[in-house]
Amino acid sequence: MEVQFTEQIKQLQLGAGQAFHGEGILAITKALLQSGVAYIGGYQGAPVSHLLDVMVQAKPYVDTLGVHVEACSNEASAAAMLGASLHYPVRGCVTWKSIVGTNVAADALSNLASPGVTGGTLIVVGEDTGEGASVIQERTHAFAMKSTMALFDPRPDLPTMVNCVQHAFALSEASHMPAMLGLRIRACHVRGSFEAQDNVAPRHGTHAWIDEPAPFDYGKLAHPPVTFRHEKLKVEQRIPAAQAYIEQHGLNETFEGELADVGLIVQGGLYNALQRALQTVGLADAFGDSRVPIHVLNVVYPLAPKSIGAFAAGKRAVLVLEEGTPEFIEKDVIQALRRQDLNTAVHGKDLMPPAGEYNVETLVQGLIAFGERHLPQVDLAAAKAWLAANAERRADVPVASLPPRPPGFCVGCPERPVFSALKLAQQEVGRVHVAADIGCHALATFEPFHSGHSILGYGMSLASRAGVGPLMAQRTLAIMGDGGFWHNGLLTGVQAALFNGDDAVLMIMKNGYTSATGTQDIISTPDDEAKAEAERNAAVHQSLAHKNQTIEQTLKGMGVPWLRTVHTYEVDAMRRTVEEALTTDFAGLKVIVAEGECQLERQRRLKPFVAGRLKRGERVERVKYGVDEDVCTGDHACIRLSGCPTLTVKDNPDPLRVDPVATVIDGCVGCGLCGANAHAATLCPSFYRAEVVKNAGGWERFVARWRETVTSWLRPEVVA
Amino acid sequence: MSTAQVTPMRPTCVLICALGGEGGGVLAEWLYGAAVRAGHAAQSTSVPGVAQRTGATTYYIEVWPQPASTHPGRRPVFSLNPVPGGVDLLVSSELLETARQVANGMVSADRTVVISSTARTLTTAEKMQPTDGRADTGALVAALQRHAKQAELLDLAALAQQAGTVISAVMLGAIAASGVLPFARGVYEDTIRAGGKGVEPSLRGFALAFDAVTRQREQRTAVEAALQPAPAPDLRALGRARVASYQDEAYARLYDERLDRFAAWPAVQQELARWLALWMAFDDIVRVAALKLAASRQARVRREVKAGDDEIVKLYDHFKPGVPEFAALLPERLAARLQAWDRRRVAAGRDPWALPLKVGTHTLRGALALRFVAGLKGWRRRGQRFAREQALIERWLAAVQAGAQRDPALGLELALCGRLIKGYGSTNERGQASLLHIVDVLATRDAATVRAAREAALADDAGRALDATLAAHGAPPRPPREQPVRFYRRKPVPAR
């Protein structure tokens, strides 16, 4: 990837006493180094991608500490990496996006958690409970419980987050259970500060090897009959050990308050929102001094029943604030209190919504409901008035009255033309069942393409057509990115389709990177040599995707008989290829490789290159497309076939016409789709392509001047 | 300690709306940096994941209004989410996104200062409509002014362009000028300098916005002026001139004669003046070639692509004329033979004949070719299409006239159906078919039915909405269009 993390890498090297300023995820990364971690791995995904991205780029520095960093091929391989800590006293951390990544990793996690670890292991997951999330209603909590792994949900406050990382390793070692740490998206990106400590080189690492393999120990294998013993170890030793550690180190914090006969038990991640809610109800000040006592669960699994009991003892009622369903924590709290014969009333999902994010407003509603039952002395009128005012404002401007703005393909994205071609092909051969996938190409599910019938998981599109394909009269189309292909699709999709002789069509978006997660490199990324060569030949603007043939070679090696590679900007060729794949007599697997390098990466390469040439006064050519406003009739068919952010509309300058005309605004990178679509779809003659040359040579200037003079004799002055 | 008296002290809360790729992250970093520089406790956060490529995104910053030295040993607990009605400053690079935060309930009349760009970045849903799907800017502004304590509206995108920088620097200048945050101008500027990247353009953009907002806070007239509607043009004069230049004076006289038939119904005549002129000056390759070659166009393109005086512009045009375009200029008999040949091609499973061209308009060959086609203006009258268009126009006018005689409102609605005629090739044919169908089956109904059908026909280009509306009014659906069907089925795989 071409993004530079220079500043972040500097922050990682801070020593004791220095002030770290930065985002939450980077603070976590720094905390790993302060904890003496020996190896780090993972698979990128929002919102935790930066942990790995920064570490990969910081290799020269982390090498000096002896820390091994590896970008894993998927979450399963990342989880398997933690196997190093089964036998050896080395700390390891891996990261991914949950819940999806945890699902992929589940097999390895079970087999890691069963024998239990020697060295501390930590899994940092992006816990996607709210906005910008996928499969938001599922919780990592369930995985932690089923595999008996500790789950941290720290207060979104940098010192607490860093502290939790360091304790997570120690807890993992004390209890032999792997630990997880979940971060909500806003906590990942929260910018704050903490006082750094020195980084610690691990005892064993790339600088100090483990001398010899551990002795054979059947107990470290997840195999019967030792797994029966593992089960006992989990409940008889590990959970109690973890609970003891939590209590001994006060990982769950209690904040006292004057209204001592009630209390709030809250997931750490919700603490700040709860504080603002309390402020709104008039129960706290801005510095976190609450009138209601609060017990903050920085570790949400396992719960420490003794601390829960100590907090609830003497209280008439507690309210458990826990995002998501089922209400695991609430049930644990109820059980803990009943076992300790405490009759404190426990509220939770009876007063709080069972689904959705617990934002400040939701929490205020819960606090009002709780206050009405248990805090007659508190005046709730202001809070209620605030809620009513919010509702009134929303009623005045309903959200549904505003056009939505979902994300879309970047300007110049090489994947957009594929969906233009697919739209055109379907006009010829009829509608097609499209098995979509995870990746940038999933943005085609939005306007103007509205393409895709299902998304079953990352790299799962071809596999997911295995059921519907044989039951359908027409062929189905599976779309997959190269990221998804390597993550999973090669085995679950291609291999299965070949083995079963399926009559399927697979479209692989070969853009050279896993782009939706931030253009991380993969095995089919164009290598540095190809990039250097492009620079030498002044061909930096060109796609380099074809320079890496790993996907094609793999497919050929597996025996894919029908394989076509089409450059995505050849819309007409792509349309014909799709039509052929859908109608050919050949009944086996047909693969179309849609080739075109990620535009983000190309632009990041191109910008400094062009800037350099301009600085040296060398010839630079830029391309921009445009629409002739007097030729455009305002039908916008071009937009329905493109959706490019720079292809938009403006007021019609012709006073006779009323519909806005299409226009290409600044930001157009001259990708060529407008022209290709105009030809492939027989749109209209409005589009032009302008090649603007700066610092042209003498001959080129001469020719241009000559042409201008001669053609000016041919031009009519005014045309209405 | 007792907190029975909850202090009114609260953080200053700033919500930033931006679109993906506008540098909102940098802006949030600057604001956090400015607070740290000034010795204030602060926190920022964002949801960049949602912005993934061009979508809407927000950044949220809280700053303690006094320096940290005033609250030793105590740290404020900042919220990670903006709270409805709890925002002190909303800054937005796009008007619809500003309105979205109003709809989310974030903006309150007793607290929220809003600085919003008046610029619109249209959403795909707005752009892709076959007519005009844009949200009403006036309504968006009105909603904002209704709910904000104070609304500063200015074109931030234009300022960014003027300064040659990204919009984030401009937004920072606007924030600084708003005075909502307790930092002096120099603190922000030092923060930009400390960033080290693109410092000069950023400072320029910052200063432009700072001054613009400061000025605007003193005299608020710009917005009102910008929202004044332009005076209505004389459509008949414009239409006549269009038709005359399109063909000749005789054609313009025909335009007059046609309009004069509607003198009894001024409202109908007024609308017809527009739609009749556009239909009579129908778009064909002769007209397109002339427009592409026009001297004024060269200047416009140079302006649009922002070519400097020392830069060379090479201009290419994308054409794909097919059989209909050529047949249009041929006499009926010849044209019919050509079209029959093309139909046979298509029936045989091939694509209709067409000639994809990329013409270098800046080259001599390209200009000559366009000149030749533009010179076919005289031929146009003899061509198949001219005759056909005139017949269709008469059919439409007759229906409008008959309708107006029954009810002027019905006549007006039928006249407005002229809007369906636009575009090239199949788009144009589809519009004509829809219009003629409405004229044929609904001209004897009431105005409301015609309006519903027209709106449906304009709503989607597949015609499904029109068919549904026709069915709802008990009218016959459009006849199916002839189209070769390439029917295919998967062959069953023999059992292994």
Side-chain angles (χ1 to χ4, degrees), chain A residues 186 191 272 276 396 405 408 515 628 631 634 636 656 659 666 679 685 688 691 693 714 720, chain B residues 44-45 53 62 78 97 129 146-147 161 274 287 292 297 300 304 312 314 320 371 419 422 424:
Chain A
R186 282 177 185 268
R191 190 174 290 276
N272 287 33
R276 186 55 51 88
D396 183 57
R405 193 189 303 274
S515 305
D628 283 307
V631 180
H636 316 140
L656 283 175
D659 290 327
D666 287 355
H679 277 175
Y688 66 78
E691 296 173 0
V693 183
L714 299 168
Chain B
S44 75
T45 188
R53 326 312 181 219
E62 294 200 351
F78 292 122
E97 295 316 312
Q129 304 308 323
R146 221 164 39 241
H147 288 276
Q161 205 169 41
R274 178 197 298 280
R287 178 174 151 80
K292 292 277 185 184
R297 185 223 180 190
R300 195 184 64 228
E304 279 185 359
I312 297 171
K314 299 180 184 174
K320 195 182 182 187
R371 180 78 203 189
R419 191 173 183 177
K422 64 175 173 179
Y424 299 82

Side-chain angles (χ1 to χ4, degrees), chain A residues 362-619:
Chain A
T362 309
L363 289 168
V364 165
Q365 285 163 355
L367 289 176
I368 289 174
F370 185 69
E372 279 173 342
R373 278 172 181 72
H374 300 289
L375 294 168
Q377 69 274 45
V378 174
D379 181 7
L380 301 166
K384 286 179 184 169
W386 175 72
L387 288 175
N390 294 344
E392 208 174 296
R393 286 196 298 272
R394 289 183 189 126
D396 183 57
V397 186
V399 170
S401 69
L402 303 174
R405 193 189 303 274
F409 293 110
C410 301
V411 176
C413 174
E415 298 185 0
R416 177 181 288 112
V418 177
F419 291 96
S420 303
L422 185 55
K423 209 166 175 175
L424 292 172
Q426 292 188 74
Q427 286 171 10
E428 297 295 323
V429 299
R431 294 180 57 236
V432 175
H433 177 96
V434 177
D437 210 294
I438 303 290
C440 293
H441 43 90
L443 298 173
T445 53
F446 297 117
E447 309 267 33
F449 298 116
H450 273 177
S451 164
H453 288 84
S454 60
I455 298 180
L456 265 292
Y458 195 21
M460 302 293 248
S461 60
L462 186 57
S464 76
R465 45 69 42 211
V468 71
L471 310 183
M472 188 160 262
Q474 295 86 18
R475 281 195 186 119
T476 57
L477 173 67
I479 296 176
M480 193 185 287
D482 41 9
F485 177 79
W486 295 118
H487 178 273
N488 206 340
L490 173 63
L491 296 182
T492 58
V494 176
Q495 188 246 135
L498 286 173
F499 175 68
N500 291 298
D502 283 353
D503 184 356
V505 184
L506 170 64
M507 169 88 73
I508 298 176
M509 301 286 187
K510 182 185 166 191
N511 71 11
Y513 311 83
T514 59
S515 305
T517 54
T519 65
Q520 286 82 5
D521 288 1
I522 40 177
I523 190 171
S524 51
T525 298
D527 60 19
D528 292 342
E529 174 47 36
K531 290 172 185 171
E533 188 192 337
E535 181 131 7
R536 278 198 300 277
N537 300 335
V540 180
H541 60 287
Q542 282 170 5
S543 163
L544 297 179
H546 64 285
K547 294 285 185 186
N548 188 320
Q549 291 287 315
T550 316
I551 291 177
E552 289 84 344
Q553 283 163 5
T554 302
L555 292 172
K556 280 180 204 149
M558 289 179 82
V560 172
W562 196 104
L563 178 64
R564 306 270 191 279
T565 298
V566 186
H567 189 61
T568 62
Y569 279 100
E570 290 166 13
V571 175
D572 209 34
M574 180 63 81
R575 173 186 67 86
R576 278 185 274 114
T577 309
V578 170
E579 286 176 29
E580 186 194 341
L582 290 169
T583 55
T584 174
D585 287 337
F586 177 75
L589 175 65
K590 292 155 284 285
V591 181
I592 304 170
V593 176
E595 194 171 68
E597 191 184 356
C598 173
Q599 176 73 9
L600 282 176
E601 287 295 289
R602 253 194 309 162
Q603 289 299 324
R604 284 174 190 143
R605 238 181 8 244
L606 189 59
K607 274 184 187 155
F609 176 77
V610 168
R613 286 189 72 96
L614 285 176
K615 210 171 171 184
R616 294 190 297 273
E618 292 168 352
R619 183 183 186 279

Side-chain angles (χ1 to χ4, degrees), chain A residues 132-153:
Chain A
S134 50
V135 204
I136 54 176
Q137 70 278 33
E138 293 199 12
R139 303 177 58 188
T140 309
H141 201 112
F143 270 92
M145 294 196 311
K146 85 169 177 61
S147 298
T148 318
M149 299 183 285
L151 179 59
F152 285 70
D153 186 357

Side-chain angles (χ1 to χ4, degrees), chain B residues 71-418:
Chain B
H71 51 87
R74 303 182 81 201
R75 283 195 301 142
V77 180
F78 292 122
S79 172
L80 278 78
N81 295 70
V83 178
V87 174
D88 295 285
L89 176 62
L90 171 69
V91 191
S92 168
S93 65
E94 208 275 350
L95 185 60
L96 173 64
E97 295 316 312
T98 321
R100 205 184 302 286
Q101 294 307 332
V102 174
N104 288 339
M106 292 297 163
V107 176
S108 89
D110 57 358
R111 183 162 171 187
T112 314
V113 173
V114 178
I115 301 174
S116 172
S117 185
T118 49
R120 284 294 329 274
T121 300
L122 298 171
T123 64
T124 307
E126 293 171 281
K127 298 190 295 191
M128 65 185 279
Q129 304 308 323
T131 53
D132 190 351
R134 294 175 294 177
D136 178 3
T137 302
L140 298 178
V141 170
L144 192 56
Q145 287 173 332
R146 221 164 39 241
H147 288 276
K149 175 182 169 192
Q150 178 193 332
E152 305 290 355
L153 293 151
L154 66 171
D155 191 339
L156 296 173
L159 292 177
Q161 205 169 41
Q162 197 185 329
T165 182
V166 284
I167 201 162
S168 47
V170 171
M171 290 167 88
L172 187 69
I175 292 169
S178 76
V180 174
L181 289 173
F183 311 132
R185 177 175 180 163
V187 173
Y188 297 100
E189 290 174 325
D190 288 347
T191 309
I192 291 178
R193 286 192 194 98
K197 265 190 253 168
V199 171
E200 283 315 311
S202 293
L203 287 175
R204 265 201 310 278
F206 176 91
L208 275 177
F210 190 94
D211 296 341
V213 170
T214 308
R215 230 179 6 257
Q216 195 160 307
R217 289 180 72 193
E218 288 154 12
Q219 47 174 23
R220 50 190 70 255
T221 49
V223 183
E224 284 77 5
L227 292 172
Q228 287 300 318
D234 179 355
L235 291 178
R236 181 157 182 171
L238 284 168
R240 193 183 195 286
R242 172 73 46 91
V243 173
S245 121
Y246 177 78
Q247 194 61 41
D248 48 32
E249 181 55 27
Y251 201 40
R253 281 196 299 277
L254 177 60
Y255 174 78
D256 279 334
E257 284 162 27
R258 281 173 169 165
L259 277 186
D260 287 342
R261 283 152 56 187
F262 297 87
W265 310 285
V268 177
Q269 195 183 38
Q270 164 87 0
E271 272 309 317
L272 273 181
R274 178 197 298 280
W275 303 116
L276 179 63
L278 290 173
W279 194 344
M280 284 179 74
F282 57 88
D283 297 289
D284 61 1
I285 55 174
V286 179
R287 178 174 151 80
V288 168
L291 290 170
K292 292 277 185 184
L293 199 57
S296 57
R297 185 223 180 190
Q298 303 304 304
R300 195 184 64 228
V301 167
R302 284 197 78 93
R303 215 166 45 236
E304 279 185 359
V305 303
K306 301 208 163 63
D309 291 339
D310 59 334
E311 290 180 321
I312 297 171
V313 175
K314 299 180 184 174
L315 185 56
Y316 298 91
D317 281 297
H318 293 273
F319 300 113
K320 195 182 182 187
V323 163
E325 282 70 30
F326 289 104
L329 293 174
L330 294 174
E332 177 67 40
R333 272 186 51 209
L334 265 177
R337 282 177 59 185
L338 187 61
Q339 285 159 331
W341 168 77
D342 201 35
R343 271 199 298 277
R344 282 197 302 277
R345 263 179 69 95
V346 174
R350 298 166 68 187
D351 289 337
W353 183 87
L355 190 62
L357 296 171
K358 188 173 152 192
V359 176
T361 312
H362 64 292
T363 66
L364 179 59
R365 273 179 61 181
L368 277 173
L370 289 173
R371 180 78 203 189
F372 170 74
V373 178
L376 295 175
K377 191 163 150 181
W379 275 82
R380 185 191 269 147
R381 273 186 178 279
R382 277 172 263 168
Q384 179 202 45
R385 184 167 177 199
F386 191 86
R388 289 191 176 182
E389 295 287 352
Q390 303 309 319
L392 294 176
I393 289 170
E394 284 303 334
R395 207 165 130 194
W396 169 54
L397 290 176
V400 176
Q401 199 166 355
Q405 274 157 0
R406 289 186 53 215
D407 172 12
L410 175 62
L412 182 63
E413 291 300 335
L414 287 164
L416 284 165
C417 287

